[in-house]
Amino acid sequence: MVSLIARSTLSPQYVDESVFPLQTPTLQITELPLSGILRVQGRLSDQAFCSAVAEALGVQLPAAQRTTENADVTLVWAGPNEYLCFCALANEERYENALKTALKAKFAAVTLVSDSRFGLLITGSNAAAFVSQSCSIDIDPASFGIRQAATTRFASLSAMLIHHSENEYLLYFDIGYVEYVLKWLVEESEEFREDTA
């Protein structure tokens, strides 16, 4: 049997390491290594569903456009009755099995989607300015605070945006767009590299 090796990052295949990851004093953009991602679908109005997810993951389902987390798992609201569970890649099978067991007799679904997404971490004092250039969401902290999440358009593509902490944003895209997104990031971040030249 062929032994498969999980990818960690994709950026070296598409952009030169001299321009990405971007590291300037005010803006850093890096690709996140592959993590476990599970799509969890069920009705928020169904208390049995909510309790089963909380028991399986050790964290409550988040409210609309929010995230909840513990030391191992981050749950993100992805839309009405849909959530994404992020965990360490090594733990995805354990959480997938726990969720499927807990939700077995309920009107719910759990789907492993780890390989369908790639993520970016955008940090630094100019992180919000960079994100706001290409996103229609008002990301002022009063409107889009820490632990808020939204599915939006970024670089003209559908993306999930998470305000993880102060000056720190996570972006997730469909894996099919990885080359376009990385090349777009290199081009659009040029002004931030010029500021440090």
Side-chain angles (χ1 to χ4, degrees):
M1 180 175 192
V2 176
S3 177
L4 298 178
I5 300 172
R7 66 174 169 87
S8 57
T9 57
L10 295 166
S11 54
Q13 297 176 46
Y14 298 107
V15 290
D16 192 278
E17 292 181 15
S18 66
V19 293
F20 190 89
L22 176 71
Q23 299 290 328
T24 75
T26 63
L27 181 66
Q28 300 82 48
I29 306 174
T30 56
E31 182 186 356
L32 295 167
L34 180 66
S35 63
I37 309 174
L38 298 160
R39 178 185 289 127
V40 182
Q41 295 168 293
R43 291 189 304 255
L44 187 60
S45 60
D46 181 351
Q47 189 55 49
F49 165 74
C50 297
S51 297
V53 171
E55 184 178 329
L57 301 178
V59 64
Q60 299 291 323
L61 286 169
Q65 298 183 336
R66 304 291 298 179
T67 69
T68 55
E69 61 185 49
N70 62 25
D72 297 323
V73 167
T74 298
L75 270 175
V76 180
W77 182 87
N81 302 318
E82 184 174 327
Y83 307 86
L84 291 180
C85 170
F86 293 86
C87 63
L89 189 60
N91 296 333
E92 71 177 4
E93 186 176 354
R94 176 167 56 101
Y95 286 121
E96 180 185 21
N97 291 337
L99 282 165
K100 286 182 175 179
T101 299
L103 297 170
K104 191 171 188 175
K106 298 175 179 56
F107 185 70
V110 177
T111 311
L112 184 62
V113 296
S114 306
D115 287 330
S116 70
R117 305 279 197 287
F118 83 102
L120 297 161
L121 172 64
I122 302 173
T123 61
S125 58
N126 274 328
F130 181 78
V131 170
S132 66
Q133 285 181 168
S134 303
C135 179
S136 60
I137 292 176
D138 178 4
I139 63 165
D140 182 278
S143 302
F144 192 69
I146 293 170
R147 292 193 178 169
Q148 282 196 261
T151 300
T152 183
R153 295 197 72 73
F154 187 92
S156 301
L157 299 172
S158 178
M160 172 169 277
L161 174 66
I162 302 167
H163 189 177
H164 189 254
S165 59
E166 186 175 359
N167 294 326
E168 186 174 297
Y169 297 86
L170 304 174
L171 270 169
Y172 288 91
F173 295 90
D174 185 282
I175 192 72
Y177 301 127
V178 63
E179 181 176 11
Y180 170 83
V181 171
L182 290 169
K183 289 180 176 178
W184 182 93
L185 285 169
V186 168
E187 185 175 322
E188 291 300 311
S189 62
E190 185 67 34
E191 67 181 274
F192 297 94
R193 285 194 297 276
E194 289 173 354
D195 288 345
T196 64

